[in-house]
Amino acid sequence: MSEQTTVPVKLGDRSYDILIGSGLIDRAGQEIAARTGARRVAIVSDENVAALHLQHLTDSLKAGGIESTPILVTPGEKSKGFATLETVTNAILSARLERGDIVIAFGGGVIGDLAGFAASIARRGMGFVQIPTSLLAQVDSSVGGKTGINTAHGKNLVGAFYQPQLVLADTDVLDTLSPREFRAGYAEVAKYGLIDRPDFFAWLEKNWQGIFDGGPERIQAIAVSCQSKADVVARDERETGDRALLNLGHTFGHALETATHYDSARLVHGEGVAIGMVLAHQFSVKMNLASDDDAKRVEAHLRHVGLPVSIGDIPGELPPADKLMDYIAQDKKVARGALTFILTRGIGQSFIARDVPPSAVLSFLQEKHPK
Amino acid sequence: MSEQTTVPVKLGDRSYDILIGSGLIDRAGQEIAARTGARRVAIVSDENVAALHLQHLTDSLKAGGIESTPILVTPGEKSKGFATLETVTNAILSARLERGDIVIAFGGGVIGDLAGFAASIARRGMGFVQIPTSLLAQVDSSVGGKTGINTAHGKNLVGAFYQPQLVLADTDVLDTLSPREFRAGYAEVAKYGLIDRPDFFAWLEKNWQGIFDGGPERIQAIAVSCQSKADVVARDERETGDRALLNLGHTFGHALETATHYDSARLVHGEGVAIGMVLAHQFSVKMNLASDDDAKRVEAHLRHVGLPVSIGDIPGELPPADKLMDYIAQDKKVARGALTFILTRGIGQSFIARDVPPSAVLSFLQEKHPK
Ligand SMILES: NC(=O)c1ccc[n+]([C@@H]2O[C@H](COP(=O)([O-])OP(=O)(O)OC[C@H]3O[C@@H](n4cnc5c(N)ncnc54)[C@H](O)[C@@H]3O)[C@@H](O)[C@H]2O)c1
Ligand SMILES: NC(=O)c1ccc[n+]([C@@H]2O[C@H](COP(=O)([O-])OP(=O)(O)OC[C@H]3O[C@@H](n4cnc5c(N)ncnc54)[C@H](O)[C@@H]3O)[C@@H](O)[C@H]2O)c1
Ligand SMILES: [Zn+2]
Ligand SMILES: [Zn+2]
């Protein structure tokens, strides 16, 4: 199988292509050489991904006439911090790359965010290519140019808007991803349907198994997801308006991630988003915006693919509802004083709701998480 | 005295004004409030500047209805590193500023580069205002949007291009600057004359004393300098061409700074630039590009104001010429293989010379620094 499709991201002089398909790593060297002219790159990756796929990428680059220096970090969210940023940035400088040379992010969203940020600050901006290896990274984090790290004050609070010159999403590498990580990424795929593509959501309800199994549906689902995100980003690169729609499910989701101390044994990001999207629909029903049928349909589909769909699905103790409410208020998406939420009028009809009464959110959370 | 002048920096939607004049700190609150709408700021400063001028600025901001949080760092180049960047960025986040709120850099070039970089990465970009307090910062580092820090690999190798929304250069604060730092900044003022403004250089030869004494010439010299830099930056914001002219004297200067281990007791940046500019003119004479009279005129004027003008003027031991040559080759302005220098055909006639033979530079250095 060697289907391939291209999604262009239109951002003026920062425009670039996302190539999506089977066997793309084999062609990485040739594509990067042809499209960027680079002859030297640094490959930032994590130890999991490197053990499985680094040799393959290095060989492909070599075949394209590109010399590469690997820079490996420990897998996991903890690598998205100042300490690893400094290490990676220094390693890029040690590799004696010049401004036109390229930093490749080869891994999941952690690597994309970290390596992209390092690429943006090393020599005030190196060339940058994303080769995302998790489903979440292929459909979400590698598209749109947000890069960054976490601090004690919260997730992704430090970073840069920095667009890659090319994204290569090889759908075969997803075969080595754990089923749980695959499902977590799938939550973000479903999100695009729920934001503004009701037909895509209906298609997913029918075709999700092919996506998980690596059928041609996988490439198609990733392409629609990238196109959806690219459309939003082209309208609002720096998140001053519409781009906030991409946070559907994320306000609740982030509060749950905070409540579980980002312990991935209990909850990974996409799982928090799955629960958050169900909550966003249920809360919209409570606000008389959406029908209960739609909320049930969302819950049923996400549960069907194996995702958690309620606060009770999270293993272990959770703080009480008023504490979750505090986390929501602290979330960076909350503008001073007022609560901004992504709510919905039904499947594929999400919108940005400003001035949501905090008291309504609290009483909803108390209902959903009584204790 | 309350003369004031405005230099606009024209960079499309990133355009901003530089206000230059006496008594500007008194009006900082009102100018910032009117031009940015901000009601909350963080003031990044160093302990020297804060002890002398912070209360004055805080009062002015308060009078303009702006609440401020001070963030103080240790004076000196060592604060331009990852460790202090992390501290300052976290302090900005702690101050609970939002994206539209403002980080003020209140200090010399170290503070401007550090605070500007922190402002660019905190929440992927906060509002940013420069209130430069050293002559070097007023005529050079606060203009043009280069921000950054140093690493073990070299100076300014990590950073961002990030333009401020406003620059307020209060020429009165320069009265507390040490005479040595003032002179060092003056080297960069003279640089603009030497690059492409021969009349300005001639004016400086006549009027330099008024600049040092705080006469009306000071405002005029700073305004011409800012205008010169703004012109170059408007043509080439990201240093892909012309902007390199601003490095006149800096290739030699940086090598001397490296050779003295950035020990400011021996050599500060502007002093390195002064010696470097004299060397650049003398080397241009040796290359049969410029007349010996012009090189002598440059040397005479810089010596007259009290700046060092030869390698021998630097106190203490220096490595031999071939070692200096190594530092030059490592300098980031050197593109792979070829040596790029700013040379000159005479006062105000500098140009970018590519492919300067390294052997010619070495034998010139051996002449100037026999040992
Ligand atoms: N920049 C953005 O716009 C954006 C958007 C969404 C999420 N994110 C960020 O993305 C991160 C989450 O991304 P993620 O879920 O990919 O996490 P991740 O990078 O930690 O990857 C998850 C796990 O899968 C492993 N892995 C990745 N690819 C693999 C493969 N092909 N085979 C086997 N194992 C593989 C990794 O080693 C890791 O252990 C978070 O930090 C989040 O903030 C960023
Ligand atoms: N971003 C750029 O485009 C650019 C251009 C040139 C230089 N720089 C950088 O600027 C830095 C040098 O700047 P600098 O010379 O201003 O150094 P600096 O910031 O260290 O200031 C020099 C000294 O003067 C003190 N000082 C500053 N203002 C004072 C005042 N009004 N009264 C009393 N003391 C005062 C400081 O505390 C410090 O001790 C270097 O790091 C250099 O790389 C950047
Ligand atoms: Zn997400
Ligand atoms: Zn300089």
Side-chain angles (χ1 to χ4, degrees):
Chain A
M1 194 177 71
S2 67
E3 298 94 347
Q4 190 192 304
T5 175
T6 300
V7 174
V9 183
K10 297 197 175 112
L11 291 166
D13 59 3
R14 292 184 307 290
S15 297
Y16 57 94
D17 282 342
I18 306 172
L19 309 191
I20 301 158
S22 171
L24 267 175
I25 291 197
D26 292 331
R27 294 215 317 284
Q30 144 198 349
E31 290 287 357
I32 293 173
R35 286 163 181 263
T36 71
R39 287 287 165 267
R40 259 192 226 200
V41 304
I43 305 171
V44 182
S45 191
D46 74 25
E47 284 147 11
N48 293 341
V49 174
L52 294 161
H53 304 287
L54 182 61
Q55 190 62 52
H56 189 178
L57 177 59
T58 307
D59 291 346
S60 165
L61 291 170
K62 203 170 194 173
I66 298 174
E67 211 183 292
S68 64
T69 306
I71 300 173
L72 302 189
V73 307
T74 308
E77 192 73 27
K78 290 224 163 59
S79 285
K80 257 179 69 175
F82 262 109
T84 317
L85 177 72
E86 180 173 359
T87 313
V88 168
T89 307
N90 277 323
I92 292 169
L93 296 172
S94 288
R96 294 203 166 265
L97 301 181
E98 296 186 3
R99 262 209 216 157
D101 296 332
I102 281 175
V103 175
I104 297 178
F106 187 49
V110 164
I111 292 298
D113 284 10
L114 174 70
F117 188 28
S120 84
I121 65 175
R123 296 182 187 276
R124 296 200 186 89
M126 312 275 309
F128 178 43
V129 167
Q130 292 258 23
I131 307 188
T133 65
S134 71
L135 180 56
L136 182 136
Q138 293 193 352
V139 299
D140 190 353
S141 60
S142 71
V143 183
K146 276 196 190 176
T147 70
I149 56 173
N150 310 320
T151 75
H153 295 92
K155 276 201 66 178
N156 302 322
L157 282 181
V158 173
F161 287 95
Y162 200 64
Q163 301 294 346
Q165 288 155 267
L166 176 66
V167 180
L168 295 176
D170 184 329
T171 52
D172 297 340
V173 295
L174 302 180
D175 290 337
T176 58
L177 199 63
S178 75
R180 187 174 171 206
E181 291 288 355
F182 195 96
R183 280 196 299 270
Y186 183 82
E188 307 274 6
V189 174
K191 183 183 75 176
Y192 297 111
L194 297 176
I195 291 174
D196 60 0
R197 304 204 174 209
D199 297 348
F200 182 52
F201 188 77
W203 182 85
L204 289 173
E205 289 176 307
K206 284 204 204 74
N207 295 283
W208 67 274
Q209 193 68 58
I211 300 171
F212 280 70
D213 291 347
E217 298 88 351
R218 183 183 284 178
I219 295 175
Q220 198 177 333
I222 294 172
V224 173
S225 299
C226 289
Q227 188 66 62
S228 300
K229 182 150 182 187
D231 287 351
V232 174
V233 170
R235 287 203 300 273
D236 178 21
E237 188 178 2
R238 283 171 176 262
E239 190 160 0
T240 52
D242 256 19
R243 186 164 179 165
L245 285 172
L246 297 171
N247 294 324
L248 174 65
H250 282 62
T251 303
F252 287 123
H254 282 157
L256 296 171
E257 286 184 271
T258 307
T260 51
H261 311 285
Y262 293 95
D263 175 358
S264 63
R266 295 177 66 192
L267 191 76
V268 299
H269 175 75
E271 293 171 341
V273 172
I275 300 171
M277 291 193 300
V278 173
L279 291 174
H281 280 75
Q282 292 171 338
F283 182 60
S284 298
V285 174
K286 194 178 146 100
M287 302 290 280
N288 290 316
L289 289 162
S291 78
D292 195 38
D293 282 358
D294 275 358
K296 292 223 166 79
R297 216 178 119 194
V298 174
E299 183 180 352
H301 177 58
L302 296 178
R303 177 182 290 124
H304 195 50
V305 307
L307 281 163
V309 291
S310 73
I311 299 179
D313 288 345
I314 301 171
E317 286 284 300
L318 279 181
D322 57 339
K323 190 79 198 161
L324 295 181
M325 192 62 212
D326 285 350
Y327 295 144
I328 288 177
Q330 281 165 29
D331 194 86
K332 65 176 168 161
K333 271 116 207 160
V334 176
R336 196 172 289 154
L339 279 188
T340 298
F341 256 88
I342 312 306
L343 296 182
T344 185
R345 301 199 169 80
I347 285 168
Q349 298 177 65
S350 297
F351 65 97
I352 302 170
R354 307 197 192 274
D355 294 311
V356 173
S359 58
V361 181
L362 178 58
S363 79
F364 170 73
L365 279 173
Q366 282 163 337
E367 237 168 69
K368 292 289 156 189
H369 179 52
K371 120 163 144 178
Chain B
M1 198 177 68
S2 68
E3 299 94 346
Q4 190 192 303
T5 175
T6 300
V7 173
V9 182
K10 295 195 176 114
L11 291 166
D13 58 4
R14 293 184 308 289
S15 295
Y16 56 94
D17 282 342
I18 306 171
L19 310 190
I20 301 157
S22 172
L24 266 175
I25 291 197
D26 292 330
R27 294 214 317 285
Q30 144 198 349
E31 290 287 356
I32 293 173
R35 286 165 181 260
T36 71
R39 287 287 166 267
R40 257 192 229 202
V41 304
I43 305 171
V44 182
S45 192
D46 75 25
E47 284 147 11
N48 293 341
V49 174
L52 293 161
H53 304 288
L54 182 62
Q55 190 62 51
H56 189 180
L57 177 59
T58 307
D59 291 347
S60 165
L61 291 169
K62 202 169 195 175
I66 298 173
E67 211 184 291
S68 63
T69 307
I71 300 173
L72 301 190
V73 306
T74 308
E77 193 71 29
K78 291 223 164 57
S79 285
K80 257 180 70 175
F82 261 109
T84 316
L85 177 72
E86 178 172 0
T87 313
V88 168
T89 306
N90 277 323
I92 291 169
L93 296 172
S94 289
R96 294 202 165 266
L97 302 181
E98 296 185 3
R99 260 210 220 157
D101 295 333
I102 281 174
V103 175
I104 297 179
F106 187 49
V110 164
I111 291 298
D113 284 9
L114 174 69
F117 188 28
S120 83
I121 65 175
R123 296 182 187 277
R124 296 200 188 89
M126 312 275 309
F128 178 45
V129 167
Q130 292 257 23
I131 308 188
T133 65
S134 71
L135 179 57
L136 182 138
Q138 294 193 352
V139 299
D140 190 353
S141 60
S142 70
V143 183
K146 276 197 192 176
T147 71
I149 57 174
N150 309 321
T151 75
H153 295 91
K155 276 201 67 178
N156 302 322
L157 282 180
V158 173
F161 287 94
Y162 200 63
Q163 301 294 346
Q165 288 156 268
L166 176 67
V167 179
L168 295 175
D170 184 328
T171 51
D172 298 341
V173 295
L174 301 181
D175 290 338
T176 58
L177 199 63
S178 75
R180 188 176 168 203
E181 292 289 354
F182 194 96
R183 278 196 300 269
Y186 182 82
E188 306 274 7
V189 174
K191 183 183 75 175
Y192 296 110
L194 297 176
I195 291 174
D196 60 0
R197 303 203 174 210
D199 296 349
F200 181 52
F201 187 78
W203 181 85
L204 289 173
E205 288 176 309
K206 284 204 204 75
N207 295 282
W208 67 274
Q209 193 68 57
I211 300 171
F212 280 70
D213 291 347
E217 297 87 352
R218 182 183 286 180
I219 295 175
Q220 196 176 335
I222 294 172
V224 173
S225 299
C226 289
Q227 187 67 61
S228 298
K229 182 151 183 187
D231 287 351
V232 174
V233 170
R235 285 203 301 273
D236 178 21
E237 188 178 1
R238 283 171 177 263
E239 191 161 359
T240 52
D242 256 21
R243 187 163 178 166
L245 285 172
L246 297 171
N247 295 324
L248 174 64
H250 281 62
T251 302
F252 288 122
H254 283 158
L256 296 172
E257 285 184 272
T258 306
T260 51
H261 312 284
Y262 293 95
D263 175 358
S264 62
R266 295 177 65 192
L267 190 75
V268 299
H269 175 74
E271 292 171 341
V273 172
I275 300 171
M277 291 192 300
V278 173
L279 291 175
H281 279 75
Q282 291 171 337
F283 183 59
S284 299
V285 174
K286 193 178 147 100
M287 302 289 280
N288 290 317
L289 290 161
S291 77
D292 196 40
D293 282 358
D294 276 358
K296 291 224 166 82
R297 216 178 118 192
V298 174
E299 182 182 350
H301 177 58
L302 296 178
R303 177 181 291 125
H304 195 50
V305 307
L307 281 163
V309 290
S310 74
I311 300 179
D313 288 346
I314 301 171
E317 286 286 300
L318 278 181
D322 56 341
K323 191 80 198 159
L324 296 180
M325 192 62 213
D326 286 350
Y327 296 144
I328 287 177
Q330 280 164 30
D331 194 86
K332 65 176 170 164
K333 270 114 207 162
V334 176
R336 197 172 288 155
L339 279 187
T340 298
F341 256 87
I342 311 306
L343 295 182
T344 185
R345 298 198 171 80
I347 286 168
Q349 298 177 64
S350 297
F351 65 99
I352 303 171
R354 307 197 193 275
D355 295 310
V356 172
S359 58
V361 180
L362 178 59
S363 79
F364 170 73
L365 280 173
Q366 281 162 337
E367 237 168 68
K368 292 290 154 188
H369 179 53
K371 129 165 137 169

